[in-house]
């Protein structure tokens, strides 16, 4: 009963305006109300597969629920971290299924991308792959995407799971603990996380623009020289 009341409070704080955030909150509330802490884990596993689902909302909500309900703070962190690992492993398996040769064939059909670019990415991942998997778990968008090249490059599965678990445990603990101690003000976390996510998106967009411009310039130079 106490858990249901806590979840109702959480849902009421975000769903009154009918926003997408409110819809996500209602969905996460229903999961946690139905199956408890494993519901938070399931929500985070799906967030890994569908990055538009914001972990920055689900994790503090799980922490808030732990502060008021029938599952403990330990269970909230345990299940959300397990969910992160399961979601990441699914994408790792997708990358492993895709494989290096198939990936290169697909990339060769993409305009403006050369096999040389793929070679550079592979070389970079060979040098920094372990750090990328660990720290990538703490960066919006990259949390999901980094698992795919790890699978393509067949990073040792044990190491992948260790790095993913460690990085996810840090990220999840910060947000779950924030929700736990902020209580009904758990949404404050989402505001700061949104700022961080916007900075990441801006950086990605700027890099994409730079990449396209440089590729078009290189293509024109090669055309003039041929």
């Amino acid at each position: 009963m106490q858990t249901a009341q806590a979840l109702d409070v959480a849902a009421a704080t975000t769903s009154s305006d009918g926003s997408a955030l409110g819809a996500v909150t209602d969905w996460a509330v229903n999961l946690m109300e139905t199956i408890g802490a494993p519901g938070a884990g399931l929500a985070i596993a799906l967030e890994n597969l569908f990055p538009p689902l914001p972990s920055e909302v689900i994790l503090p909500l799980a922490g808030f629920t732990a502060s008021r309900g029938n599952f403990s703070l330990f269970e909230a962190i345990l299940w959300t971290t397990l969910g992160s690992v399961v979601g990441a492993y699914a994408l790792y398996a997708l990358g492993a299924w895709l494989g290096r040769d198939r990936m290169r064939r697909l990339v060769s059909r993409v305009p403006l991308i050369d096999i040389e670019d793929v070679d550079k990415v592979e070389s970079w991942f060979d040098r920094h792959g372990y750090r990328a998997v660990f720290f990538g778990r703490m960066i919006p968008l990259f949390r999901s995407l980094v698992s795919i090249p790890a699978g393509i490059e067949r990073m040792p599965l044990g190491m992948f799971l260790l790095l993913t678990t460690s990085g996810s445990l840090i990220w999840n603990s910060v947000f779950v603990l924030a929700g736990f101690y902020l209580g009904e003000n758990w949404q404050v976390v989402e505001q700061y996380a949104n700022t961080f996510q916007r900075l990441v998106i801006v950086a990605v967009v700027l890099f994409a623009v730079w990449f396209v411009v440089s590729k078009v310039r290189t293509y024109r130079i090669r055309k003039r020289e041929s």
Side-chain angles (χ1 to χ4, degrees):
M1 183 68 176
Q2 192 177 9
T3 300
Q5 291 174 343
L7 290 169
D8 288 341
V9 170
T13 61
T14 52
S15 59
S16 60
D17 61 353
S19 65
L21 175 60
V24 170
T25 304
D26 287 341
W27 169 75
V29 161
N30 289 332
L31 273 179
M32 284 185 253
E33 191 171 33
T34 303
I35 56 178
L42 177 58
I44 291 299
L46 293 174
E47 180 266 339
N48 276 264
L49 299 174
F50 305 102
L53 292 175
S55 68
E56 294 84 357
V57 171
I58 299 168
L59 291 171
L61 177 57
F64 166 63
T65 306
S67 73
R68 301 284 297 275
N70 292 334
F71 62 82
S72 66
L73 178 62
F74 173 78
E75 288 176 305
I77 294 174
L78 173 66
W79 280 101
T80 54
T81 300
L82 180 60
S84 295
V85 173
V86 169
Y89 175 72
L91 293 176
Y92 175 95
L94 174 63
W97 171 82
L98 180 63
R100 186 172 181 269
D101 293 338
R102 187 177 294 166
M103 182 269 296
R104 292 172 75 88
R105 287 197 298 270
L106 290 173
V107 168
S108 67
R109 301 174 187 174
V110 178
L112 299 179
I113 298 182
D114 302 322
I115 294 299
E116 294 175 357
D117 298 318
V118 178
D119 292 336
K120 290 177 182 177
V121 172
E122 290 180 349
S123 178
W124 182 90
F125 201 84
D126 285 340
R127 296 193 306 272
H128 306 290
Y130 287 177
R131 287 190 290 271
V133 169
F134 176 75
F135 290 107
R137 302 306 308 170
M138 306 174 213
I139 302 176
L141 303 180
F142 289 94
R143 271 199 306 277
S144 298
L145 298 179
V146 74
S147 300
I148 297 176
I152 291 173
E153 296 298 321
R154 296 298 181 98
M155 176 182 288
L157 182 57
M159 181 58 69
F160 173 78
L161 292 177
L162 175 62
L163 293 169
T164 297
T165 301
S166 302
S168 299
L169 180 61
I170 294 171
W171 176 264
N172 292 357
S173 296
V174 168
F175 280 85
V176 170
L177 285 168
F180 184 86
Y181 288 110
L182 284 171
E184 293 182 9
N185 295 318
W186 63 271
Q187 276 187 290
V188 172
V189 183
E190 188 261 341
Q191 297 171 11
Y192 289 101
N194 270 350
T195 301
F196 180 42
Q197 184 168 344
R198 289 191 190 101
L199 291 173
V200 172
I201 292 173
V202 168
V204 170
V205 170
L206 290 175
F207 174 78
V209 170
W210 170 82
F211 181 82
V212 170
V213 170
S214 64
K215 282 296 175 180
V216 170
R217 186 176 301 165
T218 300
Y219 173 77
R220 289 176 177 173
I221 293 173
R222 289 177 179 174
K223 191 173 182 180
R224 284 198 302 266
E225 292 175 349
S226 61

